[in-house]
Amino acid sequence: MKSVPYAEVIGDPIAHSKSPLIHQFWLEKLGIDADYQMFHVKPDQLQSYIAERKKDPLWRGCNVTLPHKLAVMDHVSDPGDVKGSIGAMNTIARDERGHLFGTNTDAGGFFAPLADIPLAGEEIIVVGAGGAAQAVLFALSRIDVGAVTMINRNVLKASALLARFGLKGQALGYEAALPPAKLLVNASPLGMAGQEDLILDLDNLPADTIVYDLVYVPLKTKLLKAAKARGLETIDGMTMLIGQAAVAFEIFFGQAPPLEYDDELRKRLQA
């Protein structure tokens, strides 16, 4: 049993997660006597994990990664209607009455580095149709973007997501040629260590396209390397990772993280 307040990140697999390093870094900088760790939870263990942690008053909550972002919605309350909006949860926490609720910090973390980029009316490409893609589509639906092209093996699933978020556009398979776009987002696990590579032909993308890969292990994915080789602007997965973690940290520990140390944190994450 823990002797100090703590939070966790859960998933299957989980060993690759950088979340403990991020949260421990912030706890250390702020001098907070608390802990953050990773915990391997298989799909058939999710319900029992949540039930056990709910009994522990020192447990502040957990971040949720693959493959639990959808399943976890069946086990906690949803005061912000995350299920009806984004459709996936990545953070579970305890309210003042001790009840567990879920939320999603992915959308805010994704959008943070794009906040000063005018995307209204611009065409967008999103790869993937899972929980991360849903957070991306939710964020895009709030800024009046132009047509969105979804790239996914299951084209029908991708088309349904466009309709769900009220976005106009099309869904294509991985073999299709990419249309011109202002922003290309990889919201799939392809390119992640242990997964298949994401192979896309970037030749049709204009010179001002931004390529944003949410994968952070490895940090320099083949997609980002290909984009840099074409001279395109890139955003790596660590940017969203830190952004979504910052929102979760404040939920868990009641203080905003010291973002003035971001450069030092990124160096630690890349060590």
Side-chain angles (χ1 to χ4, degrees), residues 183-184 202 205 209-213 223-224 227 232-235:
L183 174 68
L184 165 64
L202 307 182
L205 299 181
T209 298
I210 301 165
V211 177
Y212 190 168
D213 197 337
L223 175 64
L224 293 185
L232 303 179
E233 182 178 347
T234 62
I235 302 173

Side-chain angles (χ1 to χ4, degrees), residues 52-162:
E52 285 299 315
R53 289 300 190 269
K54 185 177 181 180
K55 300 174 186 176
D56 186 352
L58 291 176
W59 184 75
R60 297 292 182 85
C62 65
N63 290 117
V64 181
T65 188
L66 294 172
H68 304 311
K69 291 186 178 185
L70 304 183
V72 76
M73 292 188 292
D74 295 331
H75 304 294
V76 296
S77 68
D78 184 13
D81 192 28
V82 173
K83 187 172 185 177
S85 55
I86 298 176
M89 289 178 176
N90 80 326
T91 303
I92 306 302
R94 189 191 304 274
D95 66 20
E96 63 278 359
R97 297 171 297 170
H99 298 157
L100 302 188
F101 68 94
T103 187
N104 192 303
T105 66
D106 279 337
F110 159 73
F111 187 68
L114 301 172
D116 296 327
I117 299 172
L119 292 175
E122 297 285 359
E123 297 198 7
I124 313 291
I125 300 170
V126 177
V127 181
Q134 290 174 211
V136 169
L137 293 175
F138 174 80
L140 294 176
S141 71
R142 296 300 188 267
I143 57 173
D144 196 27
V145 297
V148 176
T149 296
M150 297 283 292
I151 307 294
N152 196 53
R153 288 194 179 95
N154 188 330
V155 175
L156 290 178
K157 180 180 180 181
S159 295
L161 285 180
L162 285 175

